[in-house]
Amino acid sequence: MTDQVEIDGITLHLGKPDASENQWIGQREVLRQLLACWLVVDERDLPLAPRLVGSPGIGKTTLAIAGAAAREQDLYIYQCTADTRPEDLLVTPVISDQGRIRYHASPLVTAMIRGGICLLDEGNRMNEKSWASLAPLLDHRRYVESIVAGVTIPAHADFRCAVTMNEDESTFEVPDYILSRLQPTLTLGHPERHDEMAILKYHLPFADEDILNLTVEFLQEAHGLKLDFSTRDGINVLRYALKRLASGGDHPLSRDQAWRESLERCLGEEALDLQNLAERKNQTLGGNVVSMGLGDFFFTPDDPLHPDYDDDEDDDDDLDDDDQD
């Protein structure tokens, strides 16, 4: 595998693929959907660049790793952030020891050149200027233009990509002209109980059955209440609980004590009462409370100047008064 390549007289130094090894457990259908996106069914056909959507920790990156492994291609991961610049996404100039400029290809451009797969992780944390630099790559043109290096870089025929997006509020709104290029949307849900148990056992095969069951029961209840605790959260809770049990000391904890302490330290005190947390979340989101309009801040509901003031009610009252007279 070459470490550098020359394009239009410019030498680009390439990066290394991601070496992570994660087994994809359960939800086989979404893996099949991802692989279908990357198929090419005719010489005139083009692969798709899907969005992998779901809450943090649900397995979006693991899904991409599994997809790359199934296709036997190297995977390159670029972590998108709010301050990602176009040159970060494409080619970055670096001053070498000899005082010369070296051009380093990003994971994305390295995948484009080598014919690998690139995952743009948490893409909706990235600003529009950076997304704009990828517009020609994500349509039929399949190239990028590096202003810094002054070169146009075409994508290898085997190049594939996908974008993960978290469902939370700490993100940018991706412009429509980019969203139209990131199709289709593949949504990951929380795993079923037996799959979640298998995932925990895969990551922590040394955990005993009782503490595994405690963790899975907690996660399944949280999923049922539509709370945002993920399998990754469960792994962290379980990992810390096991460390607390192993630490011993003068006052060793019982299994239940260690797990409860771990739950509070990792996910907060509110995680100790999921039912109460779910009720408070529902109230925060609105519940059965009628939303207020602008007029509610200035006029009472029975004020004639209120936008929802009902004249008919006053007419009825007048009629009642007449009847009494």
Side-chain angles (χ1 to χ4, degrees):
M1 183 182 293
T2 180
D3 291 332
Q4 59 187 49
V5 66
E6 187 171 307
I7 298 177
D8 293 340
I10 299 296
T11 300
L12 296 180
H13 296 266
L14 306 180
K16 298 184 183 299
D18 182 78
S20 303
E21 293 184 7
N22 267 326
Q23 182 180 344
W24 181 252
I25 299 171
Q27 300 192 63
R28 305 303 297 179
E29 180 59 26
V30 72
L31 177 57
R32 285 190 285 267
Q33 291 170 357
L34 175 61
L35 294 175
C37 291
W38 289 341
L39 281 178
V40 173
V41 298
D42 185 270
E43 62 181 12
R44 295 163 296 182
D45 190 23
L46 293 173
L48 294 167
R51 280 178 281 168
L52 312 182
V53 176
S55 57
I58 208 167
K60 300 182 294 295
T61 304
T62 302
L63 175 62
I65 292 172
R71 288 180 57 88
E72 298 182 348
Q73 287 179 261
D74 287 332
L75 178 68
Y76 299 82
I77 300 177
Y78 185 89
Q79 184 64 50
C80 302
T81 63
D83 57 358
T84 295
R85 303 167 300 171
E87 55 265 38
D88 300 326
L89 270 177
L90 305 178
V91 177
T92 304
V94 177
I95 304 297
S96 68
D97 295 339
Q98 294 77 29
R100 297 179 180 178
I101 295 178
R102 286 164 53 104
Y103 293 102
H104 285 251
S106 69
L108 171 65
V109 169
T110 300
M112 288 174 58
I113 292 172
R114 287 182 175 154
I117 294 173
C118 180
L119 178 69
L120 295 172
D121 206 9
E122 301 190 46
N124 51 341
R125 298 192 187 279
M126 196 161 63
N127 58 70
E128 182 177 355
K129 186 175 182 180
S130 295
W131 273 117
S133 68
L134 300 185
L137 175 64
L138 298 172
D139 60 26
H140 64 280
R141 293 170 287 179
R142 285 176 61 85
Y143 67 73
V144 294
E145 295 177 304
S146 170
I147 305 300
V148 170
V151 294
T152 297
I153 305 167
H156 191 286
D158 292 333
F159 169 72
R160 302 290 187 270
C161 70
V163 180
T164 71
M165 293 187 177
N166 285 330
E167 294 177 331
D168 60 37
E169 297 176 354
S170 58
T171 57
F172 285 103
E173 184 174 349
V174 180
D176 289 341
Y177 72 91
I178 293 297
L179 290 179
S180 67
R181 290 166 163 84
L182 300 177
Q183 299 289 353
T185 298
L186 307 184
T187 303
L188 279 74
H190 292 291
E192 300 291 336
R193 189 188 192 285
H194 63 280
D195 289 333
E196 199 147 43
M197 175 65 82
I199 294 169
L200 294 181
K201 285 183 176 180
Y202 172 78
H203 288 280
L204 299 163
F206 42 85
D208 66 59
E209 199 75 18
D210 288 339
I211 202 165
L212 282 166
N213 278 318
L214 271 176
T215 309
V216 171
E217 290 302 330
F218 167 81
L219 290 172
Q220 288 295 304
E221 183 180 357
H223 304 336
L225 294 170
K226 301 189 183 307
L227 297 172
D228 293 331
F229 296 127
S230 67
T231 308
R232 181 198 293 163
D233 293 324
I235 291 171
N236 289 332
V237 168
L238 189 52
R239 197 183 296 276
Y240 181 60
L242 292 172
K243 293 179 187 299
R244 288 291 283 130
L245 286 171
S247 63
D250 296 333
H251 304 285
L253 299 175
S254 68
R255 181 203 62 207
D256 290 350
Q257 287 175 317
W259 188 86
R260 185 179 177 86
E261 178 191 304
S262 179
L263 184 67
E264 184 176 357
R265 295 289 181 270
C266 292
L267 304 182
E269 186 178 355
E270 58 187 8
L272 298 173
D273 188 347
L274 291 180
Q275 289 287 347
N276 183 51
L277 177 59
E279 289 173 6
R280 287 193 286 111
K281 179 182 177 183
N282 184 54
Q283 291 172 358
T284 301
L285 293 175
N288 296 322
V289 178
V290 177
S291 59
M292 296 180 67
L294 186 60
D296 295 308
F297 291 97
F298 298 100
F299 311 108
T300 60
D302 58 352
D303 192 310
L305 295 178
H306 192 284
D308 296 330
Y309 176 72
D310 190 351
D311 292 330
D312 293 339
E313 291 184 3
D314 284 350
D315 293 342
D316 292 341
D317 291 340
D318 292 341
L319 288 173
D320 291 339
D321 292 339
D322 292 340
D323 291 341
Q324 291 175 3
D325 294 340

